[in-house]
Each structure stands twice: as structure tokens, then as C-alpha cells.
């Protein structure tokens, strides 16, 4: 996910973020440093140093702040992002529960009727191609 363009809307006091997944607003008040009437937004741009996945803004005083697209998606409760985060946190719990169970990986594979490589994919928190059904079976 990349940011295509970003603008500041001083009337609504929000950043308007155009990304590959949609257009989102993010309020100034949720940022640090916060643009204000005394220290207004001077310039905002998509930051290549953040891999075009974030933006940097400058205030008239010279203070600068940056924000990653993940913060914008989380604030706006983007369904795809929230689903990925739910799957990520479930995967972390699976890891803890598998260790606490004392069962061998081989026994878990046998009970799930799957291979060791598939089990590794299910337990990988960064793998978002697994289904919730598979993770719930592993939790059981």
C-alpha cells in the first residue's frame, strides 16, 4: 500500500490522504506536533524515505512530523487493514498457546492433518494468506 498524494485541509483541520486503497482523512489533532492557528501547516508531502507509505509535514515554526499510512488506516478502521491486524494478533496468540501446550509440532500437524511447512505458514504472524478457519482450527 502506497500513498499517492496528501494534502492539508485547514478548514476541516485534517490531512487528506490519497492511497492505493482509497482516500482517507486524518485529523490534525491526532498528530505530534499538531498544526494550530499559532503554528499552521506550511507544507506536506509523500515521503520517499518512508517508501511512499507515509508522509511528512512541516509547520511554519520549522517543526516537522511524519505519519505512516498504517496510522491512517487504523484511525479510519479500514476493513482490510483491521482484518490483517486481527489475523496478526491471533497468530501471536497461537505461538504462545502452542508453546504452552507442550505438544510437539509433529503431533499438532497430525491432529490438523497438515504438513510441517503448512503449520509454519499458519504460525507465521506476517503471513496474511492464511484463512481465519485455519487459524481457529490451530487454536482449538
Amino acid at each position: 500500500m502506497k500513498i499517492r498524494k496528501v494534502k492539508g485541509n485547514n478548514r476541516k483541520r485534517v490531512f487528506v490522504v490519497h492511497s492505493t486503497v482509497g482516500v482517507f482523512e486524518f485529523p490534525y489533532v491526532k498528530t505530534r506536533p499538531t498544526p494550530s492557528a499559532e503554528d499552521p501547516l506550511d507544507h506536506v508531502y509523500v515521503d520517499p524515505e518512508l517508501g511512499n507509505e507515509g508522509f511528512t509535514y512541516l509547520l511554519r515554526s520549522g517543526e516537522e512530523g511524519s505519519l505512516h499510512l498504517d496510522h491512517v488506516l487504523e484511525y479510519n478502521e479500514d476493513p482490510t487493514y483491521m482484518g490483517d491486524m486481527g489475523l496478526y494478533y491471533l497468530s501471536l496468540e497461537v505461538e504462545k498457546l502452542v508453546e504452552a501446550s507442550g505438544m510437539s509440532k509433529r503431533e499438532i500437524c497430525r491432529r490438523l492433518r497438515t504438513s510441517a511447512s503448512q503449520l509454519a505458514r499458519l504460525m507465521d504472524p506476517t503471513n496474511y494468506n492464511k484463512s481465519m478457519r485455519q487459524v481457529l482450527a490451530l487454536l482449538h
Side-chain angles (χ1 to χ4, degrees):
M1 293 180 281
K2 303 278 185 198
I3 296 178
R4 293 183 177 143
K5 99 178 160 178
V6 62
K7 294 187 297 187
N9 183 330
N10 290 322
R11 195 171 128 278
K12 290 176 74 176
R13 304 196 37 75
V14 296
F15 291 103
V16 181
V17 181
H18 297 259
S19 74
T20 54
V21 292
V23 179
F24 303 97
E25 292 183 349
F26 193 84
Y28 288 171
V29 74
K30 295 284 187 182
T31 62
R32 295 289 177 264
T34 305
S36 65
E38 298 79 36
D39 193 10
L41 183 67
D42 188 50
H43 183 66
V44 61
Y45 61 94
V46 178
D47 198 335
E49 289 185 17
L50 296 173
N52 294 338
E53 293 180 355
F55 62 90
T56 298
Y57 60 96
L58 301 165
L59 304 181
R60 189 170 292 153
S61 67
E63 282 191 275
E64 104 176 356
S66 295
L67 201 65
H68 197 273
L69 180 58
D70 286 349
H71 296 300
V72 176
L73 295 175
E74 183 175 5
Y75 174 79
N76 285 280
E77 296 180 353
D78 178 64
T80 303
Y81 177 79
M82 298 308 280
D84 286 349
M85 291 311 297
L87 204 51
Y88 173 78
Y89 289 122
L90 268 178
S91 297
L92 293 179
E93 283 302 310
V94 163
E95 246 179 74
K96 290 178 195 171
L97 292 172
V98 165
E99 294 221 0
S101 75
M103 270 202 264
S104 70
K105 301 262 193 230
R106 183 175 292 229
E107 176 62 16
I108 294 170
C109 290
R110 187 187 68 73
R111 288 184 181 193
L112 289 175
R113 297 183 187 103
T114 191
S115 65
S117 60
Q118 177 63 14
L119 179 63
R121 284 190 289 275
L122 284 174
M123 292 181 63
D124 178 9
T126 61
N127 175 13
Y128 299 109
N129 293 325
K130 56 191 167 200
S131 74
M132 192 66 78
R133 180 182 303 249
Q134 293 169 313
V135 175
L136 291 175
L138 183 54
L139 281 170
H140 183 266

